Amino acid sequence: MDASEEPLPPVIYTMENKPIVTCAGDQNLFTSVYPTLSQQLPREPMEWRRSYGRAPKMIHLESNFVQFKEELLPKEGNKALLTFPFLHIYWTECCDTEVYKATVKDDLTKWQNVLKAHSSVDWLIVIVENDAKKKNKTNILPRTSIVDKIRNDFCNKQSDRRSLPLFSRCCSSSRTPWCSTTNWTPSSLSMWSTSGPGVSVPPGALDCWVFLSCLEVLQRIEGCCDRAQIDSNIAHTVGLWSYATEKLKSLGYLCGLVSEKGPNSEDLNRTVDLLAGLGAERPETANTAQSPYKKLKEALSSVEAFEKHYLDLSHATIEMYTSIGRIRSAKFVGKDLAEFYMRKKAPQKAEIYLQGALKNYLAEGWALPITHTRKQLAECQKHLGQIENYLQTSSLLASDHHLTEEERKHFCQEILDFASQPSDSPGHKIVLPMHSFAQLRDLHFDPSNAVVHVGGVLCVEITMYSQMPVPVHVEQIVVNVHFSIEKNSYRKTAEWLTKHKTSNGIINFPPETAPFPVSQNSLPALELYEMFERSPSDNSLNTTGIICRNVHMLLRRQESSSSLEMPSGVALEEGAHVLRCSHVTLEPGANQITFRTQAKEPGTYTLRQLCASVGSVWFVLPHIYPIVQYDVYSQEPQLHVEPLAEDFWAQMCRDFPLPASKQSVLQFSSDPVYWSWRQTPQDSLLAGIPQRVKFTVTTGHYTIKNGDSLQLSNAEAMLILCQAESRAVVYSNTREQSSEAALRIQSSDKVTSISLPVAPAYHVIEFELEVLSLPSAPALGGESDMLGMAEPHRKHKDKQRTGRCMVTTDHKVSIDCPWSIYSTVIALTFSVPFRTTHSLLSSGTRKYVQVCVQNLSELDFQLSDSYLVDTGDSTDLQLVPLNTQSQQPIYSKQSVFFVWELKWTEEPPPSLHCRFSVGFSPASEEQLSISLKPYTYEFKVENFFTLYNVKAEIFPPSGMEYCRTGSLCSLEVLITRLSDLLEVDKDEALTESDEHFSTKLMYEVVDNSSNWAVCGKSCGVISMPVAARATHRVHMEVMPLFAGYLPLPDVRLFKYLPHHSAHSSQLDADSWIENDSLSVDKHGDDQPDSSSLKSRGSVHSACSSEHKGLPMPRLQALPAGQVFNSSSGTQVLVIPSQDDHVLEVSVT
Amino acid sequence: MAVCIAVIAKENYPLYIRSTPTENELKFHYMVHTSLDVVDEKISAMGKALVDQRELYLGLLYPTEDYKLCRYGYVTNSKVKFVMVVDSSNTALRDNEIRSMFRKLHNSYTDVMCNPFYNPGDRIQSRAFDNMVTSMMIQVC
């Protein structure tokens, strides 16, 4: 029964086809409720629980109520939607158990059995409550009992559960295409068409049915919606379009409409069967010009009509998909279309769809679809004769691991076949990108720092990973090199050094993304490096920053990266500089290829392109990244002279071996760091003994010819020791020894000539010479202590700064080199290994000279034959050595003392000129080839004869046995003149009266250790007769401050010079200060013993009054040799005072 | 149960895709790829709501007729998509079961991500994940 035949008009106009509900039971009752029901029911919104995960919907539903007849129930397998009764209702008004038992129950059972027989499970029993009847029959059982009975009789547990969603199920089944918000998916159609098990249909019948259904549904939608509505709901209908397209396509293939030759007889039979199966067109559409039925019939009737309809549908579907942004689906339909075009031998039309789909898959990195689409595209390109594109696609497929070995070999062979064809136009090249053919894995230079001198040989070894499944013979592999003259300016920076500090000189290339083209969003990682720019002059940091090395990769346009399939982007560079390697067979997998080149022009060479040629096919890697460079340098010849023995530089080279080639870099580098290294060892040559000096000739671009020699102008005090066995070694630039030759040295008075061995350019010649610095007297003049010296040797010109440093001498040697017209001046600095001091020792009038030799060097020496001679002419003076050993070792940093006693018979000379000399040789060496000059030291001793003897004594107070703290003791000072008038006395202090000479002396008692308090005056001026045994006695009071054995206070003697001196007082003050051991502070603040100030009397008061700028008496210390303190070192016992309660003990 | 299970990166390239039977692998790849259209649509259409509700399950994407296959989608918070193709002739599968399968998948995927040796964005090559997927797929003999 069709819904449209129902007489009742639709309440809502859109509800054309209503779900059928059958009514059984009390027809009168139903008729009475029908008007209310049919009006009220559609107003109630109800929930439509939808399957397949779709959200539930609230809908308004009308139903078509018909009387229950058994014929209405569908036969087995027939599930026609429009005639299908969805729900069966049994109506009853029964409220009487008796009536129920008698009639209603039977009727219900019959109804149920009919339903069960037709496996209809959706039913509803309605019991209508009648108020009127209820009132009349109050005694009857409540209605509920009937309901209970019915429930007991007909609703078992399971069906009871099912009865609850009854009505909603009914709704869910009645899909309403006219409701525009409904998501139309073809699944429903598919379910209807295939859900009947066991129904056998001819192949294609279902496709026909689905196609028709789709188009009908779409037509209905178009009929009832306006354009805007349809457009806004494409997302819901496009599925049907796509589905219809797909079905038509499969019908076309089935019926032979897509094949090149057209349908054969079998295909035609099948078509006829299908058309017959369609039956007659339904009458309501039979008269229309366009109907799905007609469309299908037409499409199946001829190849042309099919093509037209199929293309229409496909294009419409693609357009719709594209318009709603379902690009992937659009591309997929497009690929079907391309397949169709390929079948129809129209590859030019297929190409665009294949390219479009491929681009999409590449962009999203779907490997399998890529491979599949590429295979289709390869076929298409082959048909189109796009040789370049075909070869590129073939190379991609040949390297594609998703294909079988056979398929890969096939595509590889396609390339090789083409390449081996004799080309029509010779020289024509097909340029293809390299990455699918082979990949550059790593590269390494030999020499590994990629620096080579002009004329040197550089090897570049690369690893190429061939992607081809078979070995490929490559005629040549070429690396295009870009040359730039950079003057090597930037290589000195630290940036350059870090860049080239690849651990083993191997540069690795990141694996290309070829096998799995990941999304274009996955950009390469940032390559950040620290950058330091240092000032070339003082190595200070000028700028620092961070460099992004691959900025060109990161900032390039996104579009360009997606055009992976476009071969046009690869351009072959033609450069003057190439590295070439011919006739290489690339095996599948890794291959080592070595390029050799001889460096020509100095500059920086950047590897740019890598090309491999197979016949007329060139595979090109357009950019080699990361940047690979090598440098060619040209170097000026150079000479270095440096101390060898314990050379810091040599030690550095030994302890921290640099790669040999790096050393050569350092030698011509002007990097201040390295210069400072080289300057430190300069002090290590020792004067007086043979020292080895290393000569290094870096030949640079100069070739040493036979007869080339170094001409050394001799320095006066430096000998070049010629040894017969000296040899020169020639090293290559990489520190490999290449030859060795004897060194010929010829010496004349002025010039030493060293003939160099023959050496090619960029080699290093090394040889050693022994030099000896002759000790020169002024340089060794040495230091003297102040004891015997009136004037200090401070003004002596030496380089001694502190006592620990050695005195040095510079010897400048001028060397003429064969490569230059200019002389090279080299300064060699020698250090004197010893420091010598002397001192005068006295014992009464006996005099001794002590010489101290201090070894400052690191070496041990053997001293021998020490002499001290008087260079003056005093004949009666004898120097008696007190040294017993003639040989004496002097160890590093140790001192040796020599002592002589001075003896004379007549009047001693006022001064004594001495020369000390001692032979020395390094303790380690047994035999020296040459005799060494002894070490000499000259000095002068003046005023060494003792003129005065000072004797001090302390006596306890009278009546006491010992001195006591706090009690005054008497200090007796006895000054005795030991000689008559001598030459040394003749100065300003000497006065003559009555044939008697006297001199003015000032004495002073000072106790620096504060053991004694001097009471009364502590100093005084005395007039001392200049005669032997003249004495002067001074008495003063001192008080011990501490108990114990106390050393006596110092008694000092000064010469008291009158104020009419030619010298200004200021100068004198200076001289006092300089001789600070005398601690002369006579000009004022002697505050601690103020009593003594007064006692000085007129002299001092005059002194203070004349303080400002006026002449005043001067004091001059007596030379130590002239005064002998016979009581020095004596001590006096002081006992604590008895009434002291506090004992103070001071330990000094 | 499932006949194809795919894990797709945020950028829409496959992190993992496995199907059964293997001879139809390519077809499943295409199928999953086209499903991304609907996944994208659903994510952008209800993106906001999804985040608020923490609803990761996208529901049915697309039925495919010839195989009676239905594709279901699921998206993680990091926009990694799971697509599952389910044989719909097995009507016993209900929404909740699909959900629980996705949840299982998600948990296993999280385990993969927790592996410190796994680089996010790489193809998944975890045996544990493989085994879990196998357990969810029909064993075709």
Side-chain angles (χ1 to χ4, degrees), chain A residues 374-601:
Chain A
R374 254 190 202 145
K375 248 166 73 183
Q376 293 177 310
L377 186 64
E379 197 194 340
C380 174
Q381 286 166 338
K382 193 178 186 183
H383 280 104
L384 284 174
Q386 300 175 342
I387 292 165
E388 224 163 288
N389 292 354
Y390 175 62
L391 290 177
Q392 199 199 332
T393 313
S394 295
S395 78
L396 286 166
L397 287 167
S399 62
D400 195 330
H401 293 272
H402 291 102
L403 291 177
T404 61
E405 191 74 11
E406 276 12 81
E407 284 174 301
R408 289 179 60 195
K409 278 180 182 163
H410 162 74
F411 285 109
C412 184
Q413 200 54 49
E414 289 280 293
I415 301 170
L416 298 180
D417 286 351
F418 177 84
S420 59
Q421 278 172 16
S423 173
D424 309 335
S425 50
H428 175 72
K429 288 172 185 168
I430 300 261
V431 177
L432 297 179
M434 166 91 66
H435 69 91
S436 58
F437 173 71
Q439 289 181 356
L440 188 57
R441 285 287 166 88
D442 55 57
L443 180 149
H444 113 266
F445 284 109
D446 182 23
S448 59
N449 62 345
V451 176
V452 69
H453 59 75
V454 170
V457 173
L458 179 86
C459 286
V460 185
E461 190 175 279
I462 61 170
T463 305
M464 275 182 94
Y465 193 88
S466 172
Q467 308 266 39
M468 294 293 113
V470 291
V472 177
H473 180 260
V474 180
E475 273 98 73
Q476 54 177 351
I477 295 177
V478 176
V479 181
N480 278 301
V481 178
H482 177 258
F483 168 66
S484 65
I485 307 167
E486 271 187 87
K487 297 279 179 209
N488 296 338
S489 57
Y490 79 103
R491 9 172 65 241
K492 280 139 205 162
T493 61
E495 199 253 345
W496 179 81
L497 282 171
T498 44
K499 187 184 127 195
H500 276 70
K501 258 182 195 162
T502 46
S503 54
N504 39 14
I506 294 182
I507 297 153
N508 286 303
F509 296 93
E512 295 198 35
T513 52
F516 279 108
V518 196
S519 152
Q520 57 195 18
N521 297 341
S522 63
L523 287 168
L526 281 174
E527 285 182 37
L528 295 178
Y529 289 88
E530 287 173 274
M531 184 271 296
F532 301 106
E533 279 280 340
R534 289 179 187 279
S535 156
S537 54
D538 58 348
N539 203 33
S540 63
L541 195 62
N542 276 353
T543 45
T544 182
I546 293 172
I547 300 176
C548 177
R549 284 271 175 74
N550 56 349
V551 70
H552 62 285
M553 307 277 282
L554 294 162
L555 296 185
R556 72 175 172 194
R557 287 168 52 123
Q558 285 296 307
E559 286 87 331
S560 60
S561 63
S562 59
S563 64
L564 287 167
E565 297 290 298
M566 301 300 159
S568 54
V570 182
L572 205 56
E573 252 180 35
E574 290 293 343
H577 301 269
V578 289
L579 304 175
R580 201 182 296 273
C581 192
S582 297
H583 294 289
V584 181
T585 299
L586 291 181
E587 299 288 334
N591 294 271
Q592 302 279 336
I593 297 148
T594 308
F595 300 93
R596 278 177 165 274
T597 183
Q598 191 167 30
K600 292 190 187 86
E601 275 183 82

Side-chain angles (χ1 to χ4, degrees), chain A residues 264-327:
Chain A
N264 55 24
S265 59
E266 200 183 319
D267 294 332
L268 286 175
N269 278 340
R270 209 176 288 133
T271 313
V272 169
D273 281 352
L274 279 176
L275 289 175
L278 285 176
E281 187 171 10
R282 282 194 326 208
E284 68 264 27
T285 60
N287 299 325
T288 54
Q290 274 284 356
S291 73
Y293 182 85
K294 289 198 181 74
K295 220 179 240 180
L296 180 60
K297 225 167 173 175
E298 196 185 319
L300 293 184
S301 58
S302 80
V303 173
E304 292 74 28
F306 172 79
E307 183 173 343
K308 177 188 168 290
H309 283 294
Y310 176 61
L311 293 183
D312 279 354
L313 267 179
S314 294
H315 288 145
T317 310
I318 291 173
E319 202 177 296
M320 277 188 264
Y321 269 139
T322 313
S323 74
I324 56 167
R326 292 195 186 175
I327 302 299

Side-chain angles (χ1 to χ4, degrees), chain A residues 243 328-329 364 366 372, chain B residues 12-13 30 33 37 41 65:
Chain A
Y243 197 28
R328 297 175 190 89
S329 306
E364 295 190 336
W366 286 72
H372 178 242
Chain B
N12 285 336
Y13 64 91
Y30 279 127
H33 185 246
D37 276 337
E41 230 164 63
E65 291 64 34

Side-chain angles (χ1 to χ4, degrees), chain A residues 758-900:
Chain A
V758 174
Y762 295 101
H763 275 60
V764 177
I765 304 171
E766 284 183 2
F767 58 89
E768 290 165 20
L769 286 184
E770 282 202 331
V771 294
L772 178 65
S773 170
L774 299 176
S776 56
L780 299 176
E783 188 83 340
S784 68
D785 59 31
M786 290 303 116
L787 284 171
M789 312 297 265
E791 46 186 298
H793 281 227
R794 293 277 163 154
K795 283 155 195 142
H796 207 286
K797 195 180 174 189
D798 59 43
K799 290 182 180 174
Q800 186 154 357
R801 286 161 303 206
T802 64
R804 292 284 95 191
C805 274
M806 292 190 264
V807 179
T808 60
T809 341
D810 279 353
H811 293 293
K812 288 206 167 94
V813 184
S814 158
I815 304 175
D816 287 334
C817 302
W819 55 80
S820 171
I821 56 165
Y822 301 106
S823 299
T824 310
V825 176
I826 282 169
L828 290 173
T829 305
F830 291 86
S831 306
V832 181
F834 303 119
R835 189 169 70 137
T836 315
T837 53
H838 68 272
S839 53
L840 181 73
L841 307 175
S842 305
S843 173
T845 51
R846 296 174 75 179
K847 294 292 169 178
Y848 304 88
V849 173
Q850 177 189 270
V851 176
C852 168
V853 178
Q854 199 179 353
N855 181 3
L856 298 171
S857 74
E858 301 288 334
L859 284 177
D860 298 338
F861 289 97
Q862 191 73 31
L863 298 180
S864 58
D865 307 324
S866 55
Y867 293 105
L868 186 71
V869 289
D870 174 24
T871 53
D873 45 3
S874 47
T875 46
D876 66 328
L877 195 76
Q878 266 189 299
L879 286 163
V880 182
L882 302 180
N883 319 301
T884 50
Q885 286 173 296
S886 63
Q887 292 268 337
Q888 197 152 18
I890 177 164
Y891 296 106
S892 170
K893 311 287 181 197
Q894 304 277 321
S895 299
V896 168
F897 293 86
F898 299 92
V899 181
W900 282 267

Side-chain angles (χ1 to χ4, degrees), chain A residues 52-53 186-187 190 243 321 326-329 332 335 360-361 364-366 368-369 372-373 516 519 521, chain B residues 8 11-14 17 25-26 29-30 32-34 36-38 40-41 60 62-63 65-66 95 123:
Chain A
Y52 304 117
S187 69
S190 170
Y243 197 28
Y321 269 139
R326 292 195 186 175
I327 302 299
R328 297 175 190 89
S329 306
F332 188 65
K335 247 174 60 66
N360 183 242
Y361 300 140
E364 295 190 336
W366 286 72
L368 248 52
H372 178 242
T373 313
F516 279 108
S519 152
N521 297 341
Chain B
I8 292 137
E11 295 86 3
N12 285 336
Y13 64 91
I17 181 158
E25 202 181 354
L26 178 66
H29 277 245
Y30 279 127
V32 173
H33 185 246
T34 45
L36 291 178
D37 276 337
V38 186
D40 280 356
E41 230 164 63
L60 183 82
Y62 241 155
E65 291 64 34
D66 0 6
D95 230 34
R123 304 212 59 167

